[in-house]
Amino acid sequence: MKKVLFVIIGLIFIAACSKDDQPEYTNPYDTVNQYIDLWQKQDFETIYEDLLLQRTKAEYKHEDYVERYQNLYETLEINNLSIEVLEEQELTEEDLETLQSTNVPINISFDTIAGKVEYEKDLHLEKLVDEEYAGESDVDLNPESPWQVEWDPSFILPEMEKGDEVRYSTIPATRGDIVDRNGELLATQGEVYEIGIVPENFNDGDLSKLANILDVSEDYITDKLNQDWVESHLLVPIKKLSLDDEDLMSRAIAIDGVGSDYTVERVYPYGEAAAHLTGYVGAITREELEEYEEQGYSSQDIIGKRGLEELYEEELRGEDGVELYIQKSDGSTRTVAKKDPVNGETIELTIDMNIQTELYETLKDEAGTAVTMNPETGEVTSMISFPAFDPNHYVLGFKQSDYEALSENELEPTLNRFASAYSPGSTIKPISALVGLSQGELDPNETKEINGKQWQKDDSWGNYSVTRVYDQDTQVDLESAIKNSDNIYFAMLATEMGADSFKEGLTQLGFSEELPFEYPLVDSQISNSGDFESEVQLADSAYGQGQVLMNIVHLASLYSGIVNDGTVMKPLLTQSEESSVWIDQAVNPDDAQLIQDLLRKVVSEGTAQDIDLPDHEIAGKTGTAELKSSRDEEGVENGVFVSYDQKKPDFLLALMVEGVEDEGGSGHVVELAKQIYDNR
């Protein structure tokens, strides 16, 4: 029995020793997993040195593998790299003992600047032969020999071969249009002429002639011809022209060596009439690029410079597309990934270009600003600053004469006046009445006794007095005060109310706060400090002098509230905005109706009788603001007139004209408004 037991124990011991002595063969999937891990970490150096077959490294040098991978992954902005084994074989010890090579199917996917790339490949592995260990047959492999990977460029990108180049191209997005309420184009992409010179065919003796035709300097043309990229047989662009300049183009290309082509540029069909509203685009500056580079801008991009082009840059710009492709040695290409461009949005305005153009043509020789508005909806139907400039010149390039005319114009055509704030003059008087009525401190039927043309509250005012023009009325009520524009009445009203109450009323009407309007405007102010620093300043402010300033849209909005029975609507510029109430019950409907009646009497009986037109019932208020640094000097006068037709109350006009002191004051502004209503 003991003998049998010893035999069994001996057999077990022999079996155990045999198992321990059995060699463990390397598994190709360990190498696959290591390869994938290093690939996902983009450790191409280690892969190249440790895992690639010798014949692969003989065919593809270090720079072909390591440096190319690194450069392409960085250039193509590759991220979210994922490599997965699709099917893993179960290999037995017997399999590993004889296995010399294998193919492992993998799925490769990653994101690029042109979108997602995904494809399948077979990863071919071979076991390294140890010549010292191998016998007469390679089947006698060293169990510890490593597995290595065969590689070719198709692992970088599908269908890529040795000698191929990787390219990508930008597919430009089309900048969005700006259109008016009727779909009329204010800003769009359009064809223009591009005049150029083929140097080898051009006679230098014609340089002066061409410069004359294009209205540019000879140096300007020479600089274009001396650019680094210029070759004698290529057309060198010199000047872009509007399609309206067909005669100019014909004269230019009649010169030997001068040709023309069509190109697409940003164009502004209404030119000056909408210039300050649309603004224009231009090449991005170095400073702008530093600010916007993270948003994908490059040094070759254009960007909105002013107006709506700048305000809605993000919406208008769109997103460029990208095509990633392989350039074959025979010149053919294979698209790897493509991201289509997303064109910019169309900005639809509440503006009516019929009204906008009509206003600009009437007012373009003056200096000032005008806004029209629908009181019921708050929609701004025109918004102009005059005079103006042609935004097309900023895109196509200025002719020398146009640039000189613009820069030497004393009326400053590039100044955007509707974005600024101005003294409202007497047009603030109905607003002061709103404050008094809403605060419960104005009885419209109560009269104030006023004698003569000057008044001061008491001796504390020193030498200063408030002056009125019309002094025939000594018992002045609200009707007389508005109809005859009585400064003293409103100065009395404000001082009786007190600074706190009057300021509170103005604040409730939107002073000293940002106007809820898409286009950024200077805030209307009560004073430079935000408070009334003296009783004199309080008195002056109530009739539109002092330091009170208003932007033209705010002024139009408050008058629209009067027309809209006391409800001030939020001023709207785009069709995407919903109509909403800005100031609910600025005054009760009965008081709003009272002021409407008084505004009509300003025209039928008062200071604006020149615009009492047949077939119209114009109502409004005139104002003259004298701009001076001291009370003793004579200053420049701005004329203001806010008006609407009570037969058609969907159209309110707020108009401000600078420098009317020699043109009849606010009467000149009334005459300009008359021309506008005559055409309606």
Side-chain angles (χ1 to χ4, degrees):
M1 184 69 181
K2 289 182 179 179
K3 184 177 180 180
V4 173
L5 182 60
F6 281 123
V7 170
I8 293 172
I9 293 171
L11 290 173
I12 292 172
F13 177 77
I14 293 169
C17 290
S18 300
K19 185 174 182 181
D20 289 341
D21 292 341
Q22 184 176 354
E24 291 186 11
Y25 287 85
T26 53
N27 192 316
Y29 284 100
D30 293 337
T31 300
V32 169
N33 292 332
Q34 182 185 7
Y35 184 85
I36 289 174
D37 181 59
L38 291 170
W39 188 355
Q40 288 179 324
K41 292 176 180 176
Q42 298 184 33
D43 185 355
F44 303 116
E45 183 76 41
T46 302
I47 293 176
Y48 186 82
E49 295 298 334
D50 296 347
L51 299 185
L52 294 189
L53 286 165
Q54 194 60 41
R55 68 170 180 269
T56 295
K57 290 197 281 188
E59 185 171 3
Y60 299 101
K61 303 303 180 187
H62 184 278
E63 60 268 22
D64 296 328
Y65 183 87
V66 178
E67 295 177 18
R68 193 168 200 196
Y69 253 124
Q70 291 171 342
N71 290 339
L72 284 176
Y73 271 39
E74 181 178 345
T75 301
L76 302 181
E77 298 178 17
I78 287 177
N79 56 65
N80 298 324
L81 175 63
S82 173
I83 304 105
E84 296 179 352
V85 175
L86 294 175
E87 183 180 344
E88 183 172 344
Q89 293 179 328
E90 291 188 13
L91 300 174
T92 66
E93 287 296 315
E94 290 76 10
D95 293 331
L96 294 174
E97 185 176 350
T98 59
L99 192 65
Q100 299 181 64
S101 67
T102 189
N103 290 322
V104 178
I106 59 173
N107 180 268
I108 307 161
S109 68
F110 47 82
D111 293 330
T112 74
I113 54 174
K116 187 171 184 177
V117 175
E118 185 168 11
Y119 57 106
E120 294 180 5
K121 287 286 294 179
D122 280 342
L123 195 63
H124 180 73
L125 296 95
E126 295 181 7
K127 189 165 187 177
L128 187 65
V129 175
D130 187 337
E131 295 180 357
E132 293 183 2
Y133 184 87
E136 295 180 0
S137 169
D138 285 344
V139 172
D140 298 320
L141 299 176
N142 186 342
E144 297 177 356
S145 291
W147 287 85
Q148 293 184 321
V149 178
E150 185 176 49
W151 179 90
D152 65 67
S154 64
F155 282 89
I156 299 179
L157 290 173
E159 296 190 59
M160 189 173 173
E161 299 173 321
K162 189 174 184 179
D164 289 350
E165 295 293 336
V166 179
R167 301 274 189 265
Y168 72 90
S169 60
T170 299
I171 308 171
T174 300
R175 193 173 179 86
D177 295 334
I178 301 175
V179 302
D180 82 341
R181 65 189 305 114
N182 302 310
E184 292 293 319
L185 293 165
L186 280 73
T188 188
Q189 303 301 109
E191 284 190 337
V192 298
Y193 294 124
E194 187 166 59
I195 308 298
I197 292 174
V198 179
E200 64 185 12
N201 300 329
F202 183 71
N203 186 334
D204 290 344
D206 290 326
L207 184 62
S208 175
K209 182 179 180 181
L210 181 61
N212 248 347
I213 292 172
L214 298 181
D215 196 8
V216 297
S217 69
E218 294 182 28
D219 287 343
Y220 175 85
I221 297 176
T222 302
D223 288 344
K224 294 285 187 182
L225 294 175
N226 288 336
Q227 296 174 93
D228 292 340
W229 63 267
V230 170
E231 296 182 26
S232 62
H233 64 285
L234 297 178
L235 184 73
V236 181
I238 302 297
K239 184 81 171 67
K240 291 171 184 173
L241 299 174
S242 165
L243 295 185
D244 295 334
D245 291 325
E246 186 175 358
D247 178 62
L248 208 62
M249 183 274 297
S250 299
R251 288 166 53 203
I253 64 173
I255 299 172
D256 289 342
V258 179
S260 72
D261 202 351
Y262 292 102
T263 188
V264 174
E265 286 288 355
R266 194 67 164 171
V267 295
Y268 302 95
Y270 284 93
E272 294 180 352
H276 288 287
L277 182 59
T278 61
Y280 52 84
V281 298
I284 194 167
T285 64
R286 182 179 300 176
E287 293 77 14
E288 289 168 335
L289 185 57
E290 288 177 2
E291 181 179 353
Y292 292 103
E293 194 167 13
E294 290 185 0
Q295 299 177 31
Y297 285 83
S298 74
S299 59
Q300 306 303 312
D301 282 330
I302 64 164
I303 193 169
K305 296 289 187 177
R306 288 183 59 170
L308 299 177
E309 292 278 29
E310 180 179 9
L311 181 64
Y312 292 111
E313 169 66 21
E314 183 177 346
E315 293 83 354
L316 289 166
R317 180 192 178 212
E319 184 179 346
D320 290 343
V322 182
E323 182 177 10
L324 173 61
Y325 62 93
I326 296 169
Q327 181 85 48
K328 295 289 186 179
S329 55
D330 63 1
S332 63
T333 61
R334 303 286 189 276
T335 297
V336 176
K338 184 178 180 181
K339 182 176 71 173
D340 292 326
V342 178
N343 292 333
E345 298 176 24
T346 294
I347 305 299
E348 298 177 290
L349 305 178
T350 58
I351 299 294
D352 185 331
M353 282 310 299
N354 293 320
I355 299 173
Q356 180 99 358
T357 303
E358 177 188 322
L359 259 63
Y360 188 76
E361 287 302 312
T362 302
L363 302 167
K364 64 183 180 181
D365 295 327
E366 307 285 343
T369 181
V371 164
T372 61
M373 181 178 287
N374 184 332
E376 292 184 357
T377 63
E379 293 173 302
V380 173
T381 52
S382 69
M383 189 162 67
I384 64 171
S385 175
F386 48 89
F389 54 89
D390 187 347
N392 292 295
H393 290 161
Y394 286 89
V395 178
L396 303 181
F398 276 93
K399 298 174 186 175
Q400 194 167 335
S401 56
D402 289 333
Y403 181 78
E404 290 171 356
L406 185 66
S407 59
E408 293 171 5
N409 191 327
E410 294 180 353
L411 297 182
E412 299 182 273
T414 59
L415 177 62
N416 185 355
R417 291 169 166 88
F418 65 66
S420 300
Y422 297 87
S423 173
S426 292
T427 58
I428 203 174
K429 289 171 182 173
I431 297 171
S432 295
L434 283 181
V435 171
L437 291 166
S438 64
Q439 297 289 96
E441 299 196 42
L442 170 61
D443 180 351
N445 298 313
E446 182 182 337
T447 62
K448 300 181 187 298
E449 184 174 347
I450 305 174
N451 295 298
K453 291 190 173 183
Q454 293 188 320
W455 170 83
Q456 62 174 206
K457 183 181 177 183
D458 53 44
D459 293 341
S460 67
W461 286 18
N463 296 326
Y464 182 70
S465 298
V466 176
T467 301
R468 64 176 180 168
V469 175
Y470 184 85
D471 65 347
Q472 283 91 328
D473 196 350
T474 58
Q475 299 298 314
V476 183
D477 59 8
L478 182 61
E479 176 181 330
S480 174
I482 288 183
K483 184 171 65 176
N484 298 310
S485 200
D486 196 308
N487 293 343
I488 295 176
Y489 177 92
F490 287 98
M492 287 181 168
L493 171 64
T495 53
E496 289 167 2
M497 289 181 64
D500 290 344
S501 181
F502 195 68
K503 176 184 174 180
E504 180 184 352
L506 290 177
T507 302
Q508 290 173 355
L509 294 177
F511 284 79
S512 302
E513 70 176 48
E514 185 177 346
L515 189 71
F517 189 56
E518 286 284 288
Y519 199 105
L521 306 173
V522 173
D523 297 343
S524 298
Q525 68 172 44
I526 292 170
S527 70
N528 297 340
S529 68
D531 291 305
F532 297 115
E533 302 293 336
S534 68
E535 201 169 44
V536 167
Q537 187 185 79
L538 170 63
D540 284 346
S541 299
Y543 61 89
Q545 293 297 136
Q547 295 174 0
V548 63
L549 299 175
M550 295 188 73
N551 67 64
I552 194 76
V553 177
H554 188 193
L555 181 62
S557 294
L558 293 186
Y559 269 77
S560 290
I562 295 170
V563 178
N564 198 37
D565 295 332
T567 300
V568 182
M569 303 300 291
K570 175 182 179 289
L572 305 177
L573 183 60
T574 65
Q575 299 279 6
S576 60
E577 301 172 82
E578 291 186 8
S579 184
S580 61
V581 174
W582 175 31
I583 304 172
D584 189 21
Q585 291 291 294
V587 70
N588 69 59
D590 289 340
D591 288 339
Q593 181 62 56
L594 169 64
I595 297 178
Q596 291 173 30
D597 294 340
L598 298 183
L599 293 176
R600 172 61 188 147
K601 288 186 177 182
V602 170
V603 175
S604 62
E605 304 174 20
T607 58
Q609 294 182 49
D610 288 345
I611 202 171
D612 194 14
L613 303 171
D615 301 323
H616 295 274
E617 290 182 5
I618 306 299
K621 182 70 187 77
T622 58
T624 303
E626 191 171 10
L627 312 178
K628 55 186 181 180
S629 56
S630 71
R631 295 190 180 104
D632 298 328
E633 68 173 0
E634 291 187 5
V636 174
E637 292 182 359
N638 290 344
V640 191
F641 185 46
V642 186
S643 59
Y644 72 105
D645 185 348
Q646 293 188 339
K647 283 188 174 181
K648 297 179 180 179
D650 60 348
F651 176 89
L652 180 139
L653 167 67
L655 173 59
M656 188 281 292
V657 179
E658 297 175 2
V660 297
E661 63 275 5
D662 297 325
E663 302 290 339
S666 60
H668 177 61
V669 187
V670 170
E671 181 57 38
L672 292 169
K674 180 180 176 182
Q675 295 177 40
I676 294 167
Y677 283 105
D678 277 338
N679 294 327
R680 292 190 61 78

